[in-house]
Amino acid sequence: MFPFCFEWVWDMSHIVFMGGLWYALGIVGAGLTYCIVKAAKESSDNHSNGDH
Amino acid sequence: MSKGSKHKDKKFGMVIDLDKCTGCGACMVACMSENNVPFKENESNKLDSITWMRVYKLENGKSFPDADICFLPRPCMHCEGDHGHAPCVSVCPAIATDYDHKTGIVSQIYTRCFGCRYCMAACPYHARYFNWWDPVWPEGMEKLLNPNVSPRMRGVVEKCSFCHHRYQLALDKAYADGRDKIEEDEYQTACTQACPANAIIFGDLDNKKHAVYSLKKNPNTFRLLERLGTNPKVYYHSSREWVRRAGDNYLKHETTKA
Amino acid sequence: MDSALIPKGVKRCSLGRFSLWMIALTAILLWGVIAMLLCWFKGLNQTNMNDAYGFALWIWADLAVIALGGGAFFTGFLKYIVGKDELKNIINYAVVIGVVCYVSALLILAIDVGQPLRSWFIFWHANVHSMLTEVAFCLSCYLVVLIIEFLPLLFENPKLDRKPFFHHLSHNMHEIMAIFAATGAFLSFFHQGSLGGVSGVLFGRPFAFREGLFIWPWTFFLFTWSAAACGPCFTILITRITEKIAKKKLVKDNVIDLLAKISGWMLGTYIIAKIFDTWYWAAYTLPKQGFSLIDFYSNNPFYGIWILIVEIFVCGIIPAVILISSKGRKNKRLFMTAIILAVIGVCINRWVMVMQTMAAPVMTFEDWFMYYPSWQEVATTILPVAFGAIFISFAYRYLPIFPQESELNPID
């Protein structure tokens, strides 16, 4: 799964398979992080607006 | 595998003479004893008992006086497939089984196997067995186990290894003697040595000095299910056409492969 | 008592009635849990599997629920990528059903392996050439995507929605849902296909083996195609069952009609491909290996040519024709028959690709291997069904799953 696992070989199969996997995980992870960070920012903004 | 060392590669295999096999089962017993193969208290259900080497009884289906039988010992075929692409090796999701290009032996790594049994589904020879139970030895028998072979735990797959530990021991001995090669008789499987009829011959299929090299070229020699492309390393020999035909599937109009 | 949790504008049964329903389902669930614990603590000797039947009921159940859960990815694909906006009225439920199916599949897999504590080896020591590795990776990743698709729905629960963070998070997730849906469709294409590849690559098993394109056997494409065709039928079937139990209409007919029409076309084209695949396999692949088609449909007590006819004709061509024609879709009885047949058809396909593959002898001196599951296998297979019913019941009661419900069932 990772290049430091001893079965790892830098061949086309590993690059294509793991590349696809990490690409998909990257998109999902980045998307989720974006949503959480934006929601946290928006809710704190709302909160401070409410204080005024 | 580097190309430079290719000339040193071995391809261990067997030629089994089915005309000599009497079906005595000595090979099965020797295999179980040598490889610490566990057994159940009640062995009547053969579908979940472990027999790395299994002797099948074949019948020609004819009535007296033409009735004929043949006993067919079936170890793991150590399929080479297409360049090591054995049916069971490529499917294992966790690399718990491997095709060794240096010996041609298909190994099983018990501590890596997590028991998905995909390799069993892939093997057309039913040469792979699952440990449905934990191994239990009759009291005192654990002291008689072979110290060179690790017993397997519940939930993993196991199979014939061509007594690979014997190969390692032979290599160790050769190294201690200052040799870099081993002779044919230095590495023989337990089933080969136990066969009283001398029906099982074992050696390097690519080594001209080994008996199997010429035996495999006999026109009456065949392999099981060759047409599937498994490229097995266990050859069978029989002078009887019906036995050779039983080795593979043929359409009615097809003639048995010579 | 739990009225604060119930979405606005909809009516639900009393908590007492709901609790009774839950108790009944939990009893079934517990039966499955006992069987599951037996398998984990005593080992797979609790099953009727054997060395000839290494893959059995559980693998079939896995393949079947994943195909049926395909409604989530395909409906998501149609809604977010193709732009069929009407499907927004059923996509929530498709996602809920998808979550149930994929959690069930992973649970069954966790019971099915001989050494469950080593299950992580499939990820850590991954063999990228194995179809099962591809299945494990894509299945787990897709479950994450499904949960992400489900979360906004959860955050819309009246209690949670009052918290500004969850309100905004839900809104933000909705905003970029197309990205998640596209990733889900990508992952689903591969794992649905890989499940077909699991049997299709077995060149030692002529019943399952198929030639194909590059590393992918034809079954790879057929499985994805059939899941996209029959998954939405399962979504429709569960929607109709829910409507029957809830005694009210939850989704407008035009939404169901659109999904069914697309399913029909998918099923129709799939079945043509399946017929072509079967013909090529019977006429070219099998004879090369010394087999004829009838070898796999004779000399055994169960698997006759009938199963092929039922799969392709009764559960393939017939439902496809009904679902494609607008007259067929408008006739309620005919429509439901087609939906049920399509669901049965995909289950039969998965059954034969697992069970018949194991049953058919390959060596000439062997006989057919027949098998029936133990009660532990049956109970652990029913366990996800009970889990699914509980999950769906909770989701229906407390989450705004059906956007059209309040419009279709106004409260006076």
Side-chain angles (χ1 to χ4, degrees):
Chain A
M1 188 175 180
F2 300 104
F4 52 79
C5 293
F6 74 84
E7 297 92 348
W8 185 278
V9 188
W10 284 105
D11 62 4
M12 195 47 84
S13 316
H14 276 79
I15 291 166
V16 170
F17 185 94
M18 292 298 171
L21 169 80
W22 288 112
Y23 180 69
L25 277 180
I27 290 176
V28 172
L32 205 55
T33 312
Y34 164 80
C35 293
I36 292 170
V37 170
K38 198 175 167 211
K41 201 170 165 288
E42 283 166 346
S43 52
S44 68
D45 285 353
N46 278 3
H47 191 70
S48 52
N49 285 344
D51 283 348
H52 279 293
Chain B
M1 185 73 249
S2 67
K3 280 187 178 171
S5 61
K6 205 171 179 181
H7 66 284
K8 287 180 185 169
D9 290 350
K10 295 178 175 53
K11 202 183 268 189
F12 289 111
M14 277 177 185
V15 180
I16 302 175
D17 191 336
L18 299 179
D19 295 342
K20 285 183 183 173
C21 178
T22 61
C24 70
C27 54
M28 293 174 70
V29 175
C31 172
M32 291 190 83
S33 169
E34 176 73 17
N35 292 294
N36 301 333
V37 175
F39 45 88
K40 300 173 293 178
E41 206 167 308
N42 177 357
E43 281 282 354
S44 54
N45 181 7
K46 298 296 176 201
L47 282 172
D48 57 14
S49 57
I50 304 176
T51 44
W52 287 14
M53 169 63 100
R54 179 173 172 189
V55 178
Y56 283 88
K57 184 182 173 189
L58 280 60
E59 293 175 28
N60 69 346
K62 292 182 179 170
S63 50
F64 180 82
D66 300 318
D68 193 10
I69 60 162
C70 169
F71 292 100
L72 185 142
R74 189 246 46 215
C76 168
M77 300 287 136
H78 293 272
C79 304
E80 190 179 359
D82 182 16
H83 298 100
H85 180 73
C88 56
V89 170
S90 52
V91 299
C92 175
I95 323 180
T97 184
D98 181 47
Y99 183 86
D100 184 356
H101 288 271
K102 286 182 183 165
T103 59
I105 291 174
V106 174
S107 63
Q108 180 73 14
I109 309 156
Y110 311 121
T111 47
R112 173 65 71 81
C113 174
F114 67 96
C116 73
R117 305 182 299 286
Y118 192 12
C119 55
M120 289 168 64
C123 175
Y125 304 104
H126 295 295
R128 289 181 161 271
Y129 294 90
F130 187 70
N131 282 272
W132 301 99
W133 288 268
D134 266 317
V136 179
W137 313 102
E139 204 181 331
M141 195 181 161
E142 70 278 1
K143 291 175 187 154
L144 301 172
L145 295 179
N146 185 347
N148 295 313
V149 180
S150 58
R152 283 72 60 184
M153 64 294 285
R154 186 181 82 197
V156 303
V157 171
E158 61 178 71
K159 65 164 204 72
C160 155
S161 64
F162 269 172
C163 294
H164 188 262
H165 57 285
R166 289 187 170 206
Y167 179 59
Q168 288 172 318
L169 289 173
L171 284 179
D172 287 350
K173 187 173 178 297
Y175 182 77
D177 294 346
R179 293 178 284 130
D180 64 348
K181 279 181 187 168
I182 57 167
E183 297 301 322
E184 186 179 9
D185 61 350
E186 284 185 284
Y187 169 40
Q188 289 294 313
T189 59
C191 54
T192 306
Q193 291 183 329
C195 179
N198 214 18
I200 306 175
I201 309 295
F202 179 79
D204 180 359
L205 295 165
D206 283 351
N207 190 332
K208 288 178 184 171
K209 290 178 189 168
H210 287 204
V212 288
Y213 182 83
S214 49
L215 284 172
K216 71 173 185 187
K217 292 182 175 172
N218 187 297
N220 285 338
T221 300
F222 64 99
R223 294 181 291 174
L224 287 183
L225 306 175
E226 252 181 288
R227 302 179 77 175
L228 298 183
T230 51
N231 198 4
K233 284 198 284 298
V234 174
Y235 289 76
Y236 292 91
H237 174 274
S238 179
S239 56
R240 293 168 286 177
E241 197 268 344
W242 76 266
V243 173
R244 295 197 300 276
R245 193 170 179 86
D248 215 330
N249 293 283
Y250 294 97
L251 297 172
K252 272 182 188 155
H253 66 270
E254 289 178 321
T255 52
T256 310
K257 188 187 153 234
Chain C
M1 217 165 112
D2 59 346
S3 53
L5 291 167
I6 291 172
K8 275 177 195 149
V10 295
K11 198 166 179 285
R12 294 289 179 261
C13 70
S14 70
L15 185 62
R17 207 167 160 189
F18 182 70
S19 304
L20 275 178
W21 168 244
M22 279 296 129
I23 288 167
L25 289 174
T26 310
I28 301 170
L29 186 89
L30 283 177
W31 179 52
V33 169
I34 290 167
M36 178 180 79
L37 292 175
L38 275 174
C39 291
W40 272 341
F41 287 99
K42 290 195 166 184
L44 296 183
N45 50 54
Q46 299 293 303
T47 70
N48 272 358
M49 286 191 282
N50 53 51
D51 292 322
Y53 257 104
F55 278 5
L57 185 75
W58 285 334
I59 296 291
W60 164 73
D62 256 326
L63 264 61
V65 293
I66 290 169
L68 298 175
F73 99 85
F74 194 61
T75 315
F77 174 78
L78 292 172
K79 153 95 176 68
Y80 296 107
I81 315 296
V82 180
K84 298 279 176 194
D85 200 49
E86 301 99 299
L87 296 180
K88 70 181 176 209
N89 298 309
I90 201 167
I91 184 74
N92 292 346
Y93 206 37
V95 167
V96 168
I97 294 166
V99 170
V100 168
C101 288
Y102 279 78
V103 169
S104 304
L106 283 174
L107 178 70
I108 294 174
L109 276 181
I111 307 170
D112 196 15
V113 294
Q115 288 279 338
L117 296 178
R118 296 183 191 170
S119 299
W120 58 281
F121 285 8
I122 200 169
F123 302 105
W124 198 262
H125 301 296
N127 172 15
V128 295
H129 302 108
S130 170
M131 284 288 167
L132 212 54
T133 309
E134 200 169 312
V135 169
F137 273 100
C138 293
L139 208 113
S140 318
C141 292
Y142 183 57
L143 181 61
V144 172
V145 172
L146 271 177
I147 290 169
I148 289 173
E149 288 184 44
F150 173 70
L151 281 177
L153 201 61
L154 188 70
F155 298 149
E156 279 170 31
N157 172 273
K159 273 263 184 195
L160 286 174
D161 196 48
R162 267 181 233 145
K163 307 262 180 204
F165 175 74
F166 289 125
H167 177 83
H168 290 300
L169 185 56
S170 166
H171 177 77
N172 294 340
M173 286 172 92
H174 270 306
E175 250 182 6
I176 61 161
M177 199 50 86
I179 295 173
F180 292 128
T183 314
F186 167 80
L187 290 167
S188 286
F189 175 80
F190 279 101
H191 77 245
Q192 295 283 1
S194 307
L195 280 170
V198 163
S199 44
V201 297
L202 301 179
F203 63 95
R205 297 283 189 163
F207 181 79
F209 176 68
R210 295 291 190 280
E211 287 154 272
L213 195 67
F214 304 119
I215 59 163
W216 298 295
W218 296 127
T219 47
F220 181 98
F221 306 99
L222 289 173
F223 266 49
T224 305
W225 208 333
S226 55
C230 302
C233 290
F234 186 66
T235 308
I236 294 171
L237 178 66
I238 298 295
T239 307
R240 286 291 188 238
I241 291 173
T242 312
E243 287 180 337
K244 204 93 183 154
I245 294 172
K247 290 179 188 144
K248 60 174 127 173
K249 204 158 182 59
L250 298 166
V251 181
K252 283 184 183 171
D253 283 339
N254 68 318
V255 179
I256 299 281
D257 188 76
L258 174 68
L259 195 58
K261 186 179 165 188
I262 296 169
S263 265
W265 279 105
M266 289 298 289
L267 189 59
T269 46
Y270 158 73
I271 217 70
I272 290 168
K274 172 74 189 168
I275 290 168
F276 186 74
D277 167 75
T278 308
W279 165 75
Y280 187 85
W281 168 68
Y284 294 96
T285 316
L286 282 182
K288 271 194 283 183
Q289 298 169 325
F291 289 93
S292 60
L293 179 78
I294 204 67
D295 291 337
F296 294 105
Y297 297 97
S298 52
N299 299 321
N300 77 86
F302 184 71
Y303 295 106
I305 199 78
W306 66 268
I307 202 161
L308 188 65
I309 295 168
V310 170
E311 184 199 337
I312 293 182
F313 183 74
V314 181
C315 296
I317 295 172
I318 292 177
V321 169
I322 295 173
L323 294 178
I324 287 170
S325 82
S326 63
K327 270 187 187 172
R329 290 197 304 278
K330 285 203 174 92
N331 182 323
K332 276 186 183 172
R333 203 163 272 188
L334 217 52
F335 176 75
M336 278 320 288
T337 307
I339 293 290
I340 292 167
L341 284 179
V343 168
I344 294 173
V346 78
C347 292
I348 292 179
N349 175 260
R350 278 25 174 194
W351 178 278
V352 296
M353 291 310 282
V354 177
M355 309 295 249
Q356 206 169 342
T357 300
M358 295 293 106
V362 185
M363 289 196 284
T364 59
F365 42 87
E366 281 187 315
D367 206 354
W368 282 75
F369 298 95
M370 300 315 282
Y371 143 98
Y372 60 92
S374 69
W375 75 263
Q376 290 92 331
E377 287 174 89
V378 175
T380 41
T381 307
I382 290 173
L383 161 69
V385 180
F387 157 75
I390 291 173
F391 189 86
I392 286 174
S393 302
F394 268 108
Y396 170 69
R397 187 172 179 81
Y398 298 119
L399 304 177
I401 291 177
F402 298 103
Q404 295 174 322
E405 187 185 352
S406 51
E407 184 193 335
L408 287 166
N409 308 277
I411 302 172
D412 300 325

